[in-house]
């Protein structure tokens, strides 16, 4: 098989192996690693149809991680997709009304981040062994709520690693916060930040690009890496479930072999939908990638105008995992759209940093035609939850509702009747207040934890172990810092 190497979107690092790229997390020039080419796999769907999730994961991931042996990859996949998931299918597809929900929340922390973060620690450990790294790997993570807990779960007690999570104190749901600050592990650290998600992510990126600090860490035997979707090891496992969902429809004779499907993704940092874009580039028959924003609609504006403008008010919404104004993975899309012109990417990113905005030229904008984008207001989101529940007795979370709402707008705009997958990124049990208050006013008087029971009665869906008794678990992490103290906190935690 032809080898695939990885290049930085900003041009100064080229030709590193998959394991090196995963270990580094982000390139030293501030760019993100991208594959040297996208492997194509056309006309094999008949052969893939009867594969289970793990077999399919092996098939897809081996195309990208070409320096991993087949047995190394099997080992990582076996350790990731096991009984931690409460569905044997791992990523079940549910037909509800005229759409198909791809439920990506059956992992240990009941959000889609588990799909990649249950395997990333194993990929990292394998990569470290291959590269003969004997340093302790320190994972720095910024989270808008879900990555944090999923990363804690994935890296807890993994020998040779430490994980530090920064989350915005005012920017996550009560249940998300409780999931993180009650987490026990002998190598896990959780820190609230007085700021929003963008502040946390920028803070982490700044620590990564601080060369002096990097040298100090190295001398002390530490290697920094990332569990955010800036790490290519997060993106590749996410490609798998798009194939899985398509094959599910094909197998069930819901679609003809030549038909294309649409995919609607609730989007924040652009990681999940970028994985769908890569799937399309590999040959998955996708018509439109529907990029759904909440009221932080930078991506909606960008896709419709070609201008990326982060200078606007940061809104705290009921879909907090999408409350992001600086969408990191867009950089990877720009790299494809401008034929890998790294100088241009550097310019855009410089402009974004200095002036808060940039605009792409018309020929690049034309290539955004693979995407349709819309946004959902807070009331659109509430209404979608109520409509789906009232019509079908199926309860969706706030993020999934954003995608559903935007899909309905797409239908009105285009009358495109192609079968559509709505990506369900979290369990409604993670956002009980916002979900239940969409259904009945009485629920507004109850807190997130009381509403867990109510949701169980109303939906008939078992309470996932991730949130069972969560209110009575001891809070272990109480530290809060300012944006400027993040580096200092890392120093203290590592004792350097
Ligand atoms: C992270 C997250 C998103 C956004 O995904 P991106 O890859 O950042 O675009 C959407 N919904 C939920 C529930 C999430 O946790």
């Amino acid at each position: 098989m032809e080898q695939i190497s990885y290049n930085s979107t900003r041009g100064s690092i080229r030709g590193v192996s998959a394991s090196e790229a995963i270990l580094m997390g982000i390139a030293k020039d501030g760019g993100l690693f991208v594959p040297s080419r996208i492997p194509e796999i056309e006309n094999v769907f008949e052969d893939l149809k009867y594969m289970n999730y793990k077999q399919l994961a092996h098939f897809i991931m081996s195309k990208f991680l070409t320096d991993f042996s087949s047995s190394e990859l099997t080992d990582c996949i076996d350790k990731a997709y096991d009984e931690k998931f409460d569905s044997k299918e791992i990523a079940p597809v549910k037909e509800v009304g005229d759409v198909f929900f791809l439920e990506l929340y059956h992992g240990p922390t009941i959000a889609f981040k588990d799909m990649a973060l249950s395997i990333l620690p194993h990929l990292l450990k394998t990569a470290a062994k291959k590269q003969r790294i004997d340093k302790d790997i320190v994972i720095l993570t910024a989270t808008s709520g879900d990555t944090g807990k999923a990363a804690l779960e994935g890296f807890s007690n993994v020998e040779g690693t430490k994980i530090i999570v920064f989350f915005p104190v005012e920017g996550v749901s009560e249940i998300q916060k409780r999931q993180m600050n009650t987490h026990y592990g002998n190598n896990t650290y959780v820190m609230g930040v007085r700021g929003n998600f963008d502040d946390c992510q920028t803070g982490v990126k700044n620590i990564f690009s601080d060369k002096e600090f990097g040298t100090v860490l190295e001398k002390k035997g530490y290697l920094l890496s990332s569990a955010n979707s800036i790490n290519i090891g997060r993106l590749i496992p996410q490609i798998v479930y798009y194939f899985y969902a398509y094959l599910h429809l094909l197998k069930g004779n819901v679609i003809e072999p030549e038909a294309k499907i649409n995919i609607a993704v609730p989007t924040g940092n652009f990681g999940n939908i970028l994985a769908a874009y890569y799937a399309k580039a590999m040959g998955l028959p996708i018509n439109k990638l529907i990029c759904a924003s909440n009221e932080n609609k930078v991506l909606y504006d960008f896709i419709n105008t070609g201008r990326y403008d982060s200078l606007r008010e940061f809104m705290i919404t009921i879909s907090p995992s999408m409350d992001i104004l600086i969408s990191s993975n867009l950089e990877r899309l720009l790299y494809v759209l401008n034929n890998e012109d790294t100088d241009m990417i550097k310019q855009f990113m410089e402009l974004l940093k200095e002036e808060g905005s940039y605009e792409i030229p018309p020929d690049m904008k034309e290539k955004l035609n693979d995407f349709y984008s819309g946004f959902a207001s807070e009331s659109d989101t509430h209404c979608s939850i109520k409509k789906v529940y009232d019509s079908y007795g199926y309860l969706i979370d706030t993020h999934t509702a954003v995608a559903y709402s935007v899909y309905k707008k797409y239908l009105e705009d285009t009358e495109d009747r192609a079968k559509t997958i709505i990506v369900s990124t979290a369990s409604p049990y993670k956002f009980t207040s916002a979900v239940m208050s969409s259904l009945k006013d009485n629920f507004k008087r109850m807190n997130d934890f009381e509403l867990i029971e109510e949701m169980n009665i109303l939906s008939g869906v078992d309470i996932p172990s991730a949130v069972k008794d969560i209110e009575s678990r001891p809070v272990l992490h109480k530290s809060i810092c300012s944006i400027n103290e993040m580096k200092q906190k890392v120093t203290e935690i590592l004792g350097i």
Side-chain angles (χ1 to χ4, degrees):
M1 192 160 39
E2 210 184 324
Q3 292 293 307
I4 288 194
S5 60
Y6 290 81
N7 305 325
S8 163
T9 48
R10 301 196 193 171
S12 65
I13 303 181
R14 294 187 62 81
V16 303
S17 65
S19 54
E20 288 171 294
I22 290 172
L23 276 170
M24 286 188 255
I26 187 169
K28 283 256 158 49
D29 60 2
L32 308 186
F33 285 110
V34 281
S36 53
R37 83 191 152 78
I38 306 282
E40 286 179 28
I41 53 161
E42 275 169 289
N43 302 325
V44 290
F45 297 122
E46 280 306 312
D47 303 337
L48 304 181
K49 244 163 64 175
Y50 295 99
M51 284 189 177
N52 64 25
Y53 195 87
K54 290 204 241 179
Q55 290 165 327
L56 192 63
H58 192 282
F59 178 82
I60 303 282
M61 291 174 65
S62 65
K63 308 257 173 230
F64 286 93
L65 307 180
T66 49
D67 69 326
F68 282 62
S69 73
S70 174
S71 64
E72 283 170 340
L73 200 51
T74 303
D75 185 49
C76 292
I77 289 169
D78 282 345
K79 285 180 175 146
Y81 304 115
D82 61 7
E83 317 75 60
K84 290 194 290 295
F85 284 75
D86 70 9
S87 162
K88 275 215 170 61
E89 289 177 81
I90 305 295
V93 179
K94 301 269 169 75
E95 182 172 7
V96 176
D98 57 351
V99 299
F100 295 84
F101 287 97
L102 170 60
E103 295 183 351
L104 298 179
Y105 54 76
H106 290 275
T109 75
I110 59 175
F112 93 93
K113 304 295 198 291
D114 290 325
M115 301 303 295
L117 281 164
S118 53
I119 192 164
L120 183 65
H122 304 294
L123 296 177
L124 255 168
K125 272 197 81 172
T126 310
K129 209 177 334 153
K130 298 173 84 63
Q131 299 296 330
R132 303 192 199 312
I133 304 278
D134 53 5
K135 295 190 172 63
D136 269 358
I137 302 173
V138 179
I139 307 293
L140 289 190
T141 298
T143 182
S144 54
D146 290 327
T147 292
K149 177 64 180 179
L152 289 165
E153 198 65 44
F155 283 97
S156 255
N157 306 321
V158 173
E159 216 181 298
T161 71
K162 282 188 169 48
I163 167 151
I164 307 174
V165 170
F166 292 100
F167 74 92
V169 224
E170 304 294 340
V172 298
S173 85
E174 281 309 310
I175 291 179
Q176 287 179 313
K177 192 181 291 181
R178 194 63 69 95
Q179 275 187 304
M180 290 188 278
N181 64 24
T182 58
H183 186 90
Y184 176 75
N186 61 18
N187 59 341
T188 56
Y189 306 88
V190 179
M191 186 76 54
V193 177
R194 284 186 291 271
N196 60 38
F197 171 73
D198 287 329
D199 298 323
C200 296
Q201 177 158 258
T202 304
V204 164
K205 279 189 179 172
N206 286 343
I207 297 174
F208 272 108
S209 50
D210 186 331
K211 292 203 178 77
E212 231 171 90
F213 191 53
T215 316
V216 173
L217 285 173
E218 225 165 279
K219 279 201 191 119
K220 299 279 177 185
Y222 291 117
L223 179 80
L224 282 187
S225 190
S226 166
N228 284 102
S229 53
I230 50 179
N231 193 322
I232 192 74
R234 268 274 303 269
L235 278 182
I236 291 166
Q238 293 180 0
I239 299 170
V240 177
Y241 46 74
Y242 291 108
F243 280 87
Y244 189 76
Y246 169 78
L247 291 164
H248 178 91
L249 299 191
L250 194 64
K251 198 161 63 181
N253 295 318
V254 173
I255 49 170
E256 300 292 328
E258 58 279 0
K260 288 185 176 180
I261 58 168
N262 298 316
I263 294 185
V265 188
T267 298
N269 225 354
F270 209 75
N272 206 1
I273 197 164
L274 185 76
Y277 180 80
Y278 282 170
K280 181 173 185 181
M282 290 174 78
L284 195 68
I286 296 173
N287 177 33
K288 282 287 177 193
L289 296 159
I290 300 170
C291 174
S293 297
N294 66 16
E295 288 184 352
N296 293 293
K297 56 185 183 57
V298 260
L299 289 168
Y300 162 79
D301 289 335
F302 173 71
I303 289 172
N304 287 292
T305 66
R307 183 177 156 79
Y308 193 95
D309 188 357
S310 70
L311 289 185
R312 59 180 77 199
E313 193 187 342
F314 186 103
M315 313 289 251
I316 291 194
T317 73
I318 52 171
S319 44
S321 304
M322 297 158 67
D323 289 346
I324 294 173
L325 293 178
I326 299 173
S327 226
S328 293
N329 280 292
L330 196 61
E331 184 167 342
R332 288 187 164 113
L333 178 70
L334 298 174
Y335 179 86
V336 179
L337 299 185
N338 77 0
N339 300 319
E340 313 188 357
D341 180 344
T342 54
D343 286 337
M344 193 194 275
I345 306 267
K346 269 199 295 210
Q347 258 173 23
F348 289 153
M349 293 305 130
E350 200 62 30
L351 280 168
L352 182 62
K353 195 168 169 190
E354 301 301 324
E355 292 167 26
S357 66
Y358 61 85
E359 185 159 1
I360 58 172
D363 58 321
M364 267 178 89
K365 171 154 191 310
E366 244 166 62
K367 297 193 203 158
L368 285 172
N369 276 342
D370 285 320
F371 295 90
Y372 167 93
S373 186
F375 73 98
S377 68
E378 295 290 87
S379 82
D380 291 339
T381 306
H382 281 300
C383 287
S384 296
I385 292 170
K386 183 161 168 51
K387 204 164 78 188
V388 174
Y389 180 75
D390 288 349
S391 312
Y392 312 106
Y394 182 75
L395 205 52
I396 56 177
D397 96 293
T398 46
H399 304 75
T400 309
V402 167
Y404 185 84
S405 165
V406 170
Y407 170 63
K408 288 292 165 182
K409 285 177 196 157
Y410 171 76
L411 260 189
E412 259 171 48
D413 277 4
T414 63
E415 296 181 9
D416 170 14
R417 293 275 150 197
K419 295 283 186 254
T420 297
I421 305 256
I422 310 276
V423 178
S424 246
T425 48
S427 157
Y429 277 106
K430 230 168 165 166
F431 304 95
T432 50
S433 276
V435 170
M436 296 296 272
S437 67
S438 312
L439 303 179
K440 248 198 278 173
D441 277 346
N442 307 3
F443 292 134
K444 289 187 180 144
R445 286 190 289 275
M446 300 170 79
N447 75 30
D448 278 76
F449 304 108
E450 292 161 346
L451 284 168
I452 293 176
E453 294 289 331
E454 297 293 330
M455 185 174 277
N456 174 244
I457 296 166
L458 196 130
S459 68
V461 174
D462 289 345
I463 300 174
S465 54
V467 295
K468 215 173 251 168
D469 311 320
I470 190 165
E471 201 183 1
S472 56
R473 292 180 206 163
V475 173
L476 304 170
H477 310 272
K478 296 177 184 161
S479 313
I480 293 176
C481 71
S482 68
I483 303 162
N484 298 329
E485 288 169 332
M486 288 171 63
K487 183 171 140 191
Q488 177 59 30
K489 288 292 164 193
V490 175
T491 311
E492 285 169 22
I493 287 168
L494 299 178
I496 50 179

